[in-house]
Amino acid sequence: MAGKKEQMTIRLPAELKEKIQAEADEKGISINAVVIILILKGLED
């Protein structure tokens, strides 16, 4: 996914943000990376 990057702001329930943060911490990656992975997986379905 090389190329121009866009920035956006999203509002998440605190509980969901905490789950994403925990996943990121467990995998040693950023929250942004986790969100991108989850979005891509969701779009595959």
Side-chain angles (χ1 to χ4, degrees):
M1 255 206 288
K4 184 178 176 186
K5 305 283 190 230
E6 296 286 336
Q7 184 174 348
M8 66 184 280
T9 301
I10 60 170
R11 291 180 205 83
L12 301 172
E15 183 177 305
L16 179 56
K17 194 259 185 188
E18 290 168 7
K19 286 181 178 181
I20 294 170
Q21 179 69 65
E23 181 80 10
D25 291 345
E26 181 180 309
K27 292 185 175 195
I29 59 178
S30 68
I31 290 176
N32 188 69
V34 172
V35 171
I36 290 171
I37 290 165
L38 293 171
I39 290 170
L40 289 171
K41 284 183 180 179
L43 292 173
E44 289 175 354
D45 294 340

